[in-house]
Amino acid sequence: MVAAAVTPRTLIAIVGPTASGKTELALQIAKMHNGEIICADSRTVYRGMDLGTAKPTKAERASVPHHLLDAVDPGQVFSVADFQRLAARAIKGIQKRRRLPVVVGGSGLYIDSLLYGFALRPLGTEQREDLSKRSDDELRWMLDDKGLVLNPSDRLNRRRLERAIGSGLTVQQPRILPQNYHMIGLNPGIKLLEQRIAERTRQWFEKNILEETDALVTTFGLVEPLNTPPYREIIENAVKDDDPAAVQDLINLHLRQLAKRQLTWFKRNLDIQWSASPEEAIEIIKKLF
């Protein structure tokens, strides 16, 4: 049964760094409140990138409807604007069925663009080609000229520069969370995060992430979505099955850095109610309904 206070406009968003337990918490909430999950992740949207993006298992997907998983091939372009459009459509359908939309993910720009309704404009083919030909300094000049803002570290990342220019996010974008939208942040602390990251990496290699990476490269080539842990480290180091330790350490390092960037992004958002554990988050959500 749907909780009595769940209105057709209610939405829960579960955010936080990688390996914080967001997937498990989202499944719990969806099962408790007759919900459907919308995955707000810039990598789980791609088919075939399963192990390395920690996608929900087949059993988990069977237990709760999921949206925006396996939407496109890694060789296809998928923008923030594409996500916003498809996710908004999914939310509308879920609410029409009088079920609870549960948005979950660690891609801050995806989540913010969706929940705050940022005005985005998808790039056309010619615009994408134009950006790809420009130098990093030219892209930074374009960013400043348009009044767009990025974190200092993101200004050094070409992919993020192109994405910011393409999305058109500016300092003037309104940040008003709709009524009955609730953002729950999950942060178990850096020590536990590091332990979970290391354990996840260990399991990836046990479940043969090397084979998944080879299959992706063979099928799609060295496409941009593979420029992310753990695929990037495996590809760059050509790791063999009998010598995984060095690349595992590198993957863990880069995932720890990713987790810190994600926390930096989310902690600026005063709409997020933070919890240290799924149990604490569940108690927060109980008070909302």
Side-chain angles (χ1 to χ4, degrees):
M1 294 292 292
V2 182
V6 176
T7 73
R9 288 297 189 184
T10 301
L11 178 147
I12 297 291
I14 306 298
V15 305
T18 186
S20 58
K22 299 185 298 296
T23 297
E24 295 82 357
L25 175 58
L27 285 164
Q28 280 185 268
I29 295 169
K31 290 175 182 178
M32 289 170 61
H33 296 286
N34 194 27
E36 299 183 25
I37 293 174
I38 297 170
C39 298
D41 187 286
S42 63
R43 289 299 180 259
T44 59
V45 70
Y46 292 106
R47 301 184 189 101
M49 295 173 62
D50 301 326
L51 274 178
T53 62
K55 283 181 186 173
T57 65
K58 290 182 179 180
E60 288 169 337
R61 294 191 222 185
S63 66
V64 172
H66 283 69
H67 303 266
L68 274 295
L69 279 178
D70 302 331
V72 293
D73 288 333
Q76 295 177 260
V77 174
F78 190 85
S79 68
V80 180
D82 293 326
F83 168 79
Q84 184 192 55
R85 173 175 52 83
L86 294 176
R89 182 189 301 170
I91 289 173
K92 186 176 181 180
I94 295 167
Q95 292 175 332
K96 187 176 181 179
R97 294 188 288 276
R98 299 192 66 83
R99 293 168 67 91
L100 175 68
V102 181
V103 177
V104 57
S107 295
L109 183 56
Y110 276 32
I111 291 167
D112 287 357
S113 72
L114 176 65
L115 300 191
Y116 294 102
F118 289 165
L120 304 178
R121 57 180 190 280
L123 287 180
T125 302
E126 290 185 5
Q127 292 171 302
R128 293 182 189 279
E129 291 178 353
D130 177 66
L131 290 180
S132 70
K133 295 174 182 177
R134 295 181 179 271
S135 68
D136 290 1
D137 285 339
E138 285 182 295
L139 293 179
R140 281 187 281 270
W141 179 86
M142 290 175 67
L143 194 80
D144 296 337
D145 184 60
K146 293 176 180 292
L148 307 177
V149 291
L150 273 182
N151 293 331
S153 61
D154 291 339
R155 290 175 64 88
L156 302 177
N157 184 303
R158 183 177 183 87
R159 179 172 61 84
R160 293 194 176 99
L161 281 168
E162 291 185 12
R163 186 172 67 181
I165 294 169
S167 67
L169 293 181
T170 72
V171 291
Q172 286 79 33
Q173 291 281 359
R175 296 185 64 90
I176 301 174
L177 196 65
Q179 187 177 10
N180 294 326
Y181 277 33
H182 307 283
M183 300 182 74
I184 308 297
L186 194 55
N187 179 16
I190 193 64
K191 185 175 181 180
L192 188 52
L193 273 178
E194 290 180 351
Q195 292 173 358
R196 290 179 176 175
I197 286 170
E199 175 59 20
R200 176 179 286 179
T201 300
R202 185 189 66 77
Q203 290 183 8
W204 279 340
F205 278 78
E206 280 188 358
K207 296 176 180 178
N208 214 341
I209 187 64
L210 299 178
E211 183 178 306
E212 178 172 287
T213 304
D214 286 343
L216 287 164
V217 173
T218 299
T219 305
F220 302 106
L222 298 176
V223 290
E224 191 278 331
L226 296 179
N227 185 29
T228 188
Y231 304 110
R232 179 180 62 211
E233 292 77 11
I234 293 171
I235 293 168
E236 290 179 351
N237 291 276
V239 176
K240 305 299 181 183
D241 290 302
D242 58 350
D243 185 26
V247 77
Q248 288 190 40
D249 289 342
L250 195 58
I251 290 168
N252 289 337
L253 171 63
H254 291 165
L255 287 176
R256 291 196 299 269
Q257 292 171 342
L258 170 62
K260 289 178 181 178
R261 291 195 301 270
Q262 290 171 314
L263 281 170
T264 298
W265 178 289
F266 288 122
K267 282 188 173 180
R268 294 176 299 181
N269 190 335
L270 300 182
D271 288 326
I272 298 174
Q273 300 182 68
W274 287 96
S275 56
S277 67
E279 293 76 19
E280 186 178 327
I282 291 293
E283 291 304 312
I284 292 174
I285 292 169
K286 284 181 179 178
K287 295 176 182 178
L288 301 175
F289 295 152

